[in-house]
């Protein structure tokens, strides 16, 4: 049968002028290679099973609420589960435990959250920033909520609105700070934010309590603005 082998060659000098020789040793290392192959397949299998779990959860939600809840509520709930599933898949694909902010934006704002034909109305600008997994997950969910709100009530619900997303890394006296701004313009006039929905409360709560940052929502003349700040470590990554 075919097997993996490790070959070692050792030179042995001769004595009293006699010619030396070499010792060749072959070791069967098939078990070690099988373990490596299993370790490589494990993340793939875990990803497959997790995605199946999320699919099952989505189906349970749809069937359980069919005819018992408004369509908008079902779409909102399934959208959040799908967004969480995609964010989890993104994190599992990153073996080093960190992911860039641009990758998070790409996952959070992909279809069906933001239809492909509206992608040109998203303006993004900022430097390269790498995020730990917990920060990336929270940021992805916050961006999903902002995107859904923009599609239903904000700049992307009309024909001319745009969303500008820009971020920068600041250096205050005590460590760095990642500042991200979501700014809408050109959309219909929105209602004042007296009664914030679950999505807006999720953004503020998860950023403040989960990450030790701040999230401020305001309704300006041009549209909704959300400012998110996250503390940075000395190496430029989020804490």
């Amino acid at each position: 049968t075919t097997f993996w082998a490790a070959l070692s060659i050792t030179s042995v000098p001769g004595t009293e002028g006699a010619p030396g020789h070499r010792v060749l040793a072959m070791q069967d290392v098939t078990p070690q290679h099988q373990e490596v192959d299993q370790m490589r397949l494990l993340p793939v299998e875990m990803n497959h099973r997790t995605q199946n779990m999320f699919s099952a959860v989505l189906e349970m939600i749809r069937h359980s609420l069919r005819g018992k809840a408004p369509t908008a509520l079902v779409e909102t709930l399934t959208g959040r589960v799908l967004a969480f599933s995609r964010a989890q898949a993104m994190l599992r694909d990153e073996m080093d435990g960190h992911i860039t902010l641009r990758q998070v934006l790409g996952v959070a704002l992909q279809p069906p959250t933001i239809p492909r034909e509206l992608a040109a109305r998203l303006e993004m600008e900022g430097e390269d920033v790498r995020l730990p997994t917990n920060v990336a997950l929270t940021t992805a969910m916050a961006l999903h909520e902002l995107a859904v709100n923009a599609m239903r009530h904000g700049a992307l619900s009309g024909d001319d609105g745009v969303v500008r997303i820009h971020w920068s890394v600041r250096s205050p006296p005590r460590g760095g700070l990642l500042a991200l701004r979501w700014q809408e313009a050109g959309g219909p006039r929105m209602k004042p934010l007296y009664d914030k929905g679950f999505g807006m409360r999720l953004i503020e709560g998860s950023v403040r309590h989960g990450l030790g940052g701040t999230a401020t929502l305001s309704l300006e003349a041009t549209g909704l603005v959300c400012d998110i700040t996250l503390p940075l470590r000395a190496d430029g990554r989020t804490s």
Side-chain angles (χ1 to χ4, degrees), residues 186-198:
R189 182 178 296 275
M190 296 179 60
K191 297 180 181 179
L193 299 174
Y194 296 131
D195 184 19
K196 297 177 182 177
F198 173 79

Side-chain angles (χ1 to χ4, degrees), residues 79-148:
R80 284 176 178 144
V81 174
L82 179 59
F84 191 77
S85 170
R86 293 186 307 195
Q88 288 285 353
M90 168 189 67
L91 301 181
R92 286 191 298 272
D93 291 340
E94 287 300 310
M95 302 303 294
D96 64 353
H98 288 79
I99 193 167
T100 67
L101 180 54
R102 287 190 179 275
Q103 287 175 292
V104 174
L105 287 163
V107 169
L109 305 180
Q110 65 176 293
T113 303
I114 300 293
R116 200 174 306 278
E117 60 270 18
L118 297 183
R121 292 162 62 179
L122 300 175
E123 302 176 5
M124 306 181 194
E125 182 180 3
E127 54 195 287
D128 290 335
V129 181
R130 293 174 65 81
L131 308 176
T133 54
N134 64 320
V135 178
L137 180 60
T138 299
T139 304
M141 295 306 296
L143 290 167
H144 169 77
E145 295 298 331
L146 289 168
V148 170

